[in-house]
């Protein structure tokens, strides 16, 4: 039982071995839950020292919750030596919400007399199709919640098993439950006795094909064929595509992680250099804070990485539906809460996409045209976190660009109102149904190693030269680069008006025009920051989202932007705490943390299921290459150019070069 590389994906056998070691040591008492068993990634130094053929040391981290108390035990298990090599007891913090406990709490709700009574007031006496959603509780200083692991449950009514429950919120009923003991602490009915509760919305709204109304009949098939196969290879978790090379990793919280991203640079004379760009990239955290101030909705916020887990919530993908064309799927292994291997088949989807024009020019003197197709390698996974879907799509392009696109879809979190009423903090969707405003704020952790680890971060933006002797025509502007030398200087906001971006350069590696080689982080989409007040509960807990950019020097244990255990945390962990040291950045091994996302004012068109909305960013070479790296892409072979329609048709013959 050996793996090929220190970063090879965790295997089911390793999970089994780890569990056996934990059992033998008596670390998994009856009633304990195993929060995770994850690969301990080797540090950068360890990876640099490792060569093919060397032994592959493997260690995993197990996080065990022995019982209802706020005690967790973190154990590092050596798989090779089959022994525990490190043991740490963590007091006073909470793990992510556990599935088994959440289920028990849902059952406890349906059996509680106050819950049954609250639903009866709303005309619901048959609880068969009541849908109960446990939410992370946040931290609001309730005395009864001290020392406990809490979920707040909200409810919806389905008309039958497959109905869309979010169409009928059971408004005003919130259950505070203890996940550790499975007890209901309190059923809160926000409709005071003697008043009429907000009724269920009068109509349902389903999104499946049987309930969408007449379906279109004029969509003809699109087939994507690659008759000679794909242009990438996957060996273990090592991906090679064109000049790119990288390893795929997996984390229960971050989901897909990318490691050791390299590009083999071919100089015009044909010489090749394998060059480092990114050591590790992932989504380190995300938060969805809601903007309604009322007591029924105002507590709602969710850290979907730290409180749920973008890896844990990932679903298997289906050929032809989620992914089109020649697809390579990768299964991932995590651990169940009992410590058995939990394999998610087809969790990661990989394929190539034609991406339109890569570059083109028509010489108007000779009427010669040169055009090349753009193509990208797509590595993706999709997490279903409660009502929402989040797709994380990493793109690698022929021209050296790296892009992350996050696709948001799924179902809005809804609120019931009286028919005809609305609130300033929500959008009406249907009679008696609104959706509160909210944000989806992601934080990508980007450990760039641009031609090595000693890097520098510069903020680059347009500087207008005042009209005067230097700019007599008043037209002058130039790029201004400011070195972000300390952590305190590197807490930055985007500025579209000045085209602000951040360039990571290697000051010791100069290019052919004597500039340091670099890669640039470009905000390409909307970049809201956290709107909640800094002193608010979520404002304290989601400090990472108050700036678009943070930069830290590499530290292996600084992984998650809101800290390791955001669930019910008081806040301040993660980036705000680490950067308080105000460490030096210039010439260091820098890690960029980029917060981006969407402020969502829901639309009627987002209902009953939301058309995919997009956010993300771009990493583009800036003086990393000597010239357009896609110059060597050959012209496409003459295709059947279907005249007169077809966007790339040129009437036959060689399409792409004359
Ligand atoms: Co939304």
């Amino acid at each position: 039982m050996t793996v090929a590389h220190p970063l090879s994906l965790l295997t089911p056998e390793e999970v089994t071995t780890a569990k056996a070691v934990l059992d033998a040591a008596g670390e998994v008492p009856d009633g304990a839950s195993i929060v995770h068993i994850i690969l301990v990634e080797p540090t950068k130094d360890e990876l640099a020292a490792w060569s093919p053929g060397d032994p592959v040391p493997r260690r995993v981290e197990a996080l065990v919750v022995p019982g209802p108390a706020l005690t967790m035990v973190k154990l590092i298990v050596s798989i090779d030596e089959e022994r525990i090599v490190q043991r740490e007891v963590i007091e006073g913090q909470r793990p992510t919400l556990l599935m088994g406990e959440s289920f028990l709490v849902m059952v406890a709700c349906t059996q509680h007399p106050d819950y049954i009574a609250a639903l009866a007031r709303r005309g619901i006496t048959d609880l068969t199709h009541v849908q109960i959603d446990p939410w992370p509780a946040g931290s609001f200083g309730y005395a009864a919640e001290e020392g406990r692991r809490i979920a707040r449950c909200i409810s919806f009514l389905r008309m039958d098993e497959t109905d869309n429950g979010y169409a009928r919120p059971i408004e005003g009923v919130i259950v505070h439950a203890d996940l550790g003991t499975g007890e209901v602490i309190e059923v809160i009915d926000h409709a005071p006795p003697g008043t009429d509760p907000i009724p269920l919305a009068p109509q349902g709204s389903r999104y499946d094909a049987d309930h969408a109304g007449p379906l279109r009949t004029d969509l003809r098939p699109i087939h994507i064929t690659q008759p000679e196969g794909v242009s990438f290879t996957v060996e273990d978790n090592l991906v090679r595509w064109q000049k790119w090379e990288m390893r795929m990793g997996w984390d229960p919280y971050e989901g897909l992680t990318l490691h050791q991203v390299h590009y083999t640079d071919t100089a015009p004379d044909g010489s090749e250099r394998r060059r480092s760009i990114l050591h590790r990239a992932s989504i380190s955290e995300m938060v969805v804070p809601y903007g309604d101030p009322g007591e029924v909705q105002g507590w709602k916020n969710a850290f979907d990485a730290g409180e749920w887990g973008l890896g844990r919530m990932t679903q298997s993908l289906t050929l032809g539906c989620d992914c089109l064309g020649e697809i390579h799927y990768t299964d991932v292994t995590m651990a169940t809460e009992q410590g058995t291997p939990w394999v998610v088949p087809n969790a990661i989807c990989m394929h190539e996409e034609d991406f339109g024009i890569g570059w083109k020019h028509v010489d108007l003197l000779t009427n010669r045209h040169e055009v090349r197709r753009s193509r990208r390698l797509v590595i993706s996974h999709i997490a279903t976190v409660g009502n929402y879907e989040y797709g994380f799509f990493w793109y690698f392009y022929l021209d050296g660009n790296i892009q992350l696109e996050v696709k948001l879809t799924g179902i809005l979190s809804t609120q019931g109102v009286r028919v005809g009423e609305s609130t300033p903090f929500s959008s009406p969707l249907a009679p008696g149904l609104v959706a509160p405003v909210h944000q989806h704020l992601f934080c990508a952790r980007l450990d760039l190693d641009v031609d090595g680890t000693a890097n520098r971060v510069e903020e680059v933006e347009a500087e207008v030269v005042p009209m005067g002797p230097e700019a007599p025509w008043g037209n002058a502007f130039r790029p201004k680069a400011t070195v972000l030398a300390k952590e305190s200087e590197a807490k930055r906001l985007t500025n579209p008006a000045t085209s602000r971006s951040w360039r990571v350069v290697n000051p010791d590696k100069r290019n052919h025009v004597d500039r340091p080689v670099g890669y640039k982080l470009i905000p390409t989409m909307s970049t809201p920051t956290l709107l909640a007040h800094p002193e608010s509960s979520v404002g304290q807990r989601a400090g990472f989202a108050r700036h678009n950019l943070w930069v830290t020097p590499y530290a292996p244990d600084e992984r998650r932007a809101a800290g390791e255990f955001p669930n019910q945390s008081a806040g301040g962990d993660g980036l705000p705490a680490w950067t308080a040291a105000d460490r030096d950045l210039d010439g260091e091994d820098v890690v960029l943390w980029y917060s981006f996302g969407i402020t969502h004012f829901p639309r009627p068109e987002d209902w009953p299921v939301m058309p995919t909305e997009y956010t993300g960013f771009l990493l583009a070479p800036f003086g990393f290459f000597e010239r357009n790296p896609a110059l060597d892409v050959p012209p496409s072979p003459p295709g059947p150019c279907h005249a007169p329609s077809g966007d790339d048709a040129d009437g036959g013959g060689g399409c792409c070069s004359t």
Side-chain angles (χ1 to χ4, degrees), residues 291-572:
D292 183 288
E295 55 190 358
V296 183
Q297 298 283 336
W299 57 272
K300 278 165 69 177
N301 60 71
F303 290 69
D304 286 343
E307 293 181 330
W308 285 114
L310 300 172
R312 293 166 84 224
M313 308 310 282
T314 280
Q315 307 295 315
S316 295
L317 300 170
T318 311
L319 184 61
C321 309
D322 297 299
C323 323
L324 205 55
E326 292 284 323
I327 306 296
H328 178 93
Y329 286 114
T330 302
D331 303 346
V332 299
T333 301
M334 293 176 283
T336 65
E337 289 168 9
Q338 291 72 45
T340 56
W342 170 24
V343 177
V344 180
N346 293 3
I348 304 172
C349 170
M350 187 187 315
H351 69 287
E352 292 172 281
E353 283 178 359
D354 179 279
F355 195 61
I357 301 290
W359 56 263
K360 175 183 172 79
H361 184 60
V362 177
D363 181 334
L364 293 177
L365 291 183
T366 62
N367 206 30
R368 281 181 61 90
H369 64 258
E370 294 282 346
V371 56
R372 303 292 185 274
R373 301 297 301 176
S374 174
R375 192 188 292 203
R376 62 189 185 186
L377 177 72
V378 185
I379 309 179
S380 67
H381 75 103
I382 302 178
T384 301
V385 188
N387 46 296
Y388 265 108
E389 260 74 13
Y390 299 108
F392 299 92
F393 287 68
W394 289 92
Y395 302 130
F396 295 86
Y397 293 87
L398 297 172
D399 61 4
N401 280 358
I402 302 170
Q403 184 186 2
L404 174 66
E405 185 171 70
V406 182
K407 303 187 183 188
L408 300 88
T409 178
I411 304 183
L412 292 163
S413 182
T414 53
Q415 176 183 358
V417 293
R418 294 179 201 283
V419 172
E421 292 187 356
S422 62
T423 84
F425 303 99
S426 62
S427 305
L429 301 176
L433 188 71
V434 302
V437 298
H438 57 277
Q439 298 187 282
H440 303 265
L441 301 170
F442 305 85
C443 185
R445 180 183 182 275
L446 303 169
D447 180 356
L448 284 110
D449 281 2
V450 178
D451 267 345
T453 55
N455 286 174
R456 167 183 293 162
V457 184
E458 300 171 338
E459 179 167 286
V460 182
E461 62 190 330
E463 177 185 51
V464 170
V465 181
M467 203 164 185
E470 201 184 354
W473 297 343
N475 68 316
F477 66 92
R478 58 196 168 201
K480 179 181 147 200
T482 309
V483 175
L484 306 179
K486 307 274 282 182
E487 287 179 305
S488 59
E489 297 165 13
K491 300 174 186 183
R492 304 299 298 160
L493 297 175
T494 56
N495 184 356
T498 63
S499 300
R500 184 178 289 169
S501 65
W502 296 285
R503 191 161 63 200
V504 180
V505 300
N506 187 325
D508 300 325
K509 301 280 167 66
R510 316 289 291 187
N511 63 19
H512 62 298
V513 286
D514 198 30
R515 300 288 173 91
V517 298
Y519 253 77
K520 194 164 147 178
L521 171 60
I522 303 174
T524 49
M525 310 276 282
S526 61
T527 53
T529 48
L530 184 70
L531 294 168
H533 194 278
E535 300 296 313
S536 68
S537 172
V538 72
Q540 298 276 325
R541 299 171 62 227
F544 71 87
R546 291 212 301 275
H547 306 285
N548 295 114
L549 182 80
W550 306 67
V551 186
T552 59
Y554 167 78
D557 51 354
E558 293 180 4
R559 280 285 184 79
R560 305 250 304 282
E564 191 174 2
F565 301 113
N567 189 11
Q568 283 179 262
S569 73

